[in-house]
Amino acid sequence: MTAYTRTEHLRHELASQIRNGTLKPGNRIMSETRLAEEYQVSRGTVRRALEQLKKAELIETRMGSGSYVAFNGGSMSGPDGWTSASLRSGAPTTTELLSIVLVDRPSSLEGESECERFYKIARRRLFRSAPVSYEVSYLPAIPALCGVIERAGVLSTVPF
């Protein structure tokens, strides 16, 4: 049997609760004082355990507010992207459309497309109402897409 320090034991206990879903993304972790009482350890032990969880990206701290379960260490990249990753975590993200602007082909797309005009789409992703990413995409302004965007009435006149 492996011997744990009190810090390792507390870190392991909290990490297990995060990984098994007892503590969900966005949940506030009890205060240092309360954790110290609950696990019968010093506040220094609690601080060290929380710092290790923060380094492992399992929690995040908010000044004056406390520690919160992060996105559960789940990768949000890959073929399934943000939506599937956030659904797996139990707390889906939302997308906020900031702008759609018709622009000339960006220099970064030279040689990638024959289209001269593109739709520049700016959006941000929110996780529990907190912004977690800002994304810009370019879609070729092909006739079929132009009609869809015009009918939706989402075309901006000012670039974001």
Side-chain angles (χ1 to χ4, degrees):
M1 182 170 199
T2 305
Y4 287 112
T5 65
R6 290 178 180 201
T7 301
E8 290 170 332
H9 177 73
L10 179 57
R11 182 196 69 224
H12 176 74
E13 286 294 316
L14 293 173
S16 292
Q17 290 177 31
I18 292 168
R19 289 192 176 105
N20 73 21
T22 301
L23 290 171
K24 298 190 182 320
N27 285 163
R28 186 175 186 277
I29 295 173
M30 63 179 86
S31 70
E32 288 180 6
T33 302
R34 182 94 167 88
L35 282 169
E37 290 170 1
E38 176 104 4
Y39 289 92
Q40 299 179 343
V41 296
S42 70
R43 286 187 61 200
T45 296
V46 171
R47 279 190 212 103
R48 285 189 298 276
L50 292 176
E51 187 59 36
Q52 291 173 5
L53 290 169
K54 186 176 176 182
K55 284 181 183 175
E57 299 181 353
L58 291 175
I59 67 167
E60 57 188 34
T61 54
R62 299 178 193 160
M63 192 65 104
S65 180
S67 298
Y68 294 81
V69 178
F71 195 75
N72 200 11
S75 173
M76 294 193 293
S77 59
D80 55 354
W82 280 93
T83 304
S84 294
S86 64
L87 286 171
R88 280 193 312 273
S89 79
T93 58
T94 56
T95 302
E96 181 180 28
L97 178 64
L98 300 174
S99 66
I100 299 178
V101 181
L102 190 58
V103 298
D104 291 332
R105 178 181 38 226
S107 59
S108 62
L109 294 176
E110 288 295 329
E112 297 291 324
S113 173
E114 294 180 16
C115 278
E116 293 297 320
R117 306 280 284 164
F118 283 77
Y119 287 107
K120 178 182 177 183
I121 302 168
R123 61 188 179 189
R124 71 177 174 176
R125 303 285 185 158
L126 303 155
F127 181 70
R128 294 192 185 271
S129 302
V132 292
S133 79
Y134 171 77
E135 302 168 0
V136 174
S137 303
Y138 291 93
L139 293 176
I142 59 173
L145 188 56
C146 294
V148 170
I149 289 174
E150 287 174 16
R151 283 191 299 280
V154 293
L155 189 62
S156 303
T157 56
V158 179
F160 184 78

